[in-house]
Amino acid sequence: MTLTATTQDATGTTAVRQAPSRRGTWSPREKANLTKGLLFISPWILGTLAFVVFPIFYSAIISLTKYSGMQSPQWQGLANYTRMFQDPLAWTSIFNTLFYSGWAVPVGLVVSLLLALAMNRNVREVAAYRTILYLPSLAPVFALSFIFLVLVNPGTGIVNQVITLFGGQERDFLTGNATSAKLVIVAMAQLGAGNAALIFLAGLNNIPRTLYEAARIDGASAAQSFFRITMPLLTPSILFNLITGISAGLQVFTQAYIMTNGGPNNGTMFYMLYLYRNAFSYADLGYASALAVVLFLVGVVLALLVYQVSRRFVNYEVAS
């Protein structure tokens, strides 16, 4: 297909010229720009291929073998996947992970949204408030785990001291009951809500102030403005934080590894901790790879499901 363009000179004479076909070969300038662009993003491309794509395919292959990491892999087909569906401890780890995600993700969204609303206040000290509210999310997870071990210590922890101060009895939150141990880890996850709060803060700052002024003139209350303006226009931020929250929830590991080591009675044996034990404690890399492949597929399916559902409630423009 030949494209034409018209030009008009200073004398008013109109000329017709042919534009180069986009189906033809690339011009030298286009090739040079493509080369520069590929070179610019080459570290990201190489990193993705080396640390994402290759491990996924390698794990998928290893999952079909019996492999200890020390000897040559022995092909055994789908035996690892069959074993996984017959493994009661695998199902226990799935239940614990879903329990944790079912609590940590929605609670994290609420906490981070409240933090973002606090960060968005028009006061003189707002910069200091933002720094203070964000600081806990900068602490490493393993450090927070040790801090929580001290806080919930049944003998000297502040939590139990407050409980006894109000007439309650001391409780061993981490080793006494499986549900309370999981809830402690859920509570600890909220210290990292500052990252999601920054996303919400950016979304809040992107909402035109004129909408709130118009709502106030129409007599809308603060609650009505929040649910009719703020929440609908924050749905892209909610979607992003929901996806990242689900991903983090499915991969919870460090807290249980340090604080409970999977106890009590496998009550905090999360999926990633069980995968880690099979890979490095039991030297069963084939079975661990099968667990990893299933986790990857579940994560992809959940992400696609959330994106599919999000079409009904996510508003990317004010006009929506």
Side-chain angles (χ1 to χ4, degrees):
M1 179 179 65
T2 302
L3 302 179
T4 60
T6 60
T7 59
Q8 191 174 34
D9 56 18
T11 62
T13 303
T14 302
V16 179
R17 62 180 178 84
Q18 285 189 346
S21 174
R22 303 306 298 175
R23 294 184 180 180
T25 58
W26 291 58
S27 67
R29 184 175 181 178
E30 290 174 330
K31 291 180 179 179
N33 290 337
L34 177 62
T35 302
K36 292 177 182 178
L38 291 176
L39 287 175
F40 185 78
I41 65 173
S42 59
W44 180 87
I45 295 176
L46 294 176
T48 302
L49 292 175
F51 301 110
V52 178
V53 178
F54 173 74
I56 290 175
F57 282 99
Y58 184 76
S59 296
I61 295 173
I62 292 298
S63 68
L64 302 175
T65 66
K66 181 177 178 60
Y67 184 45
S68 65
M70 306 297 293
Q71 300 174 347
S72 300
Q74 300 177 4
W75 184 267
Q76 59 178 13
L78 299 176
N80 287 322
Y81 294 95
T82 304
R83 171 188 168 188
M84 183 180 62
F85 287 105
Q86 297 174 350
D87 186 357
L89 195 52
W91 287 106
T92 299
S93 67
I94 292 173
F95 170 79
N96 292 333
T97 303
L98 293 178
F99 181 94
Y100 170 84
S101 300
W103 279 95
V105 174
V107 172
L109 288 176
V110 174
V111 171
S112 57
L113 179 57
L114 293 177
L115 290 178
L117 292 173
M119 292 178 177
N120 199 42
R121 305 299 296 175
N122 188 18
V123 294
R124 180 185 302 176
E125 303 83 0
V126 65
Y129 292 156
R130 290 176 180 178
T131 303
I132 294 172
L133 293 174
Y134 182 70
L135 275 178
S137 63
L138 297 177
V141 177
F142 71 88
L144 293 177
S145 300
F146 284 111
I147 292 173
F148 258 71
L149 280 175
V150 176
L151 292 178
V152 300
N153 186 284
T156 59
I158 292 179
V159 174
N160 275 297
Q161 290 183 10
V162 172
I163 291 176
T164 55
L165 181 64
F166 287 95
Q169 295 182 348
E170 292 184 354
R171 292 188 58 185
D172 191 349
F173 291 96
L174 292 177
T175 61
N177 182 271
T179 302
S180 65
K182 286 193 283 283
L183 291 178
V184 168
I185 298 176
V186 169
M188 196 192 80
Q190 308 317 312
L191 292 179
N195 292 318
L198 286 184
I199 304 297
F200 279 133
L201 181 61
L204 289 172
N205 290 330
N206 197 40
I207 299 176
R209 298 293 99 185
T210 53
L211 295 179
Y212 294 106
E213 295 173 0
R216 188 164 51 251
I217 293 174
D218 289 340
S221 63
Q224 290 174 326
S225 296
F226 178 78
F227 288 106
R228 297 294 180 89
I229 299 176
T230 304
M231 287 300 292
L233 296 181
L234 269 185
T235 47
S237 301
I238 295 174
L239 175 62
F240 177 84
N241 286 331
L242 178 61
I243 293 294
T244 55
I246 291 175
S247 177
L250 294 179
Q251 299 179 67
V252 57
F253 167 76
T254 306
Q255 303 92 316
Y257 181 75
I258 293 177
M259 298 172 66
T260 62
N261 197 27
N265 297 323
N266 296 319
T268 56
M269 178 62 69
F270 296 121
Y271 194 89
M272 282 297 296
L273 180 57
Y274 186 55
L275 189 156
Y276 171 86
R277 283 191 175 180
N278 279 279
F280 301 105
S281 297
Y282 310 145
D284 196 348
L285 295 179
Y287 186 48
S289 296
L291 293 170
V293 170
V294 171
L295 178 63
F296 171 75
L297 294 177
V298 170
V300 171
V301 170
L302 287 178
L304 293 176
L305 181 61
V306 170
Y307 277 120
Q308 188 68 26
V309 175
S310 69
R311 295 180 179 179
R312 301 180 180 179
F313 69 88
V314 175
N315 300 302
Y316 289 102
E317 297 180 0
V318 176
S320 299

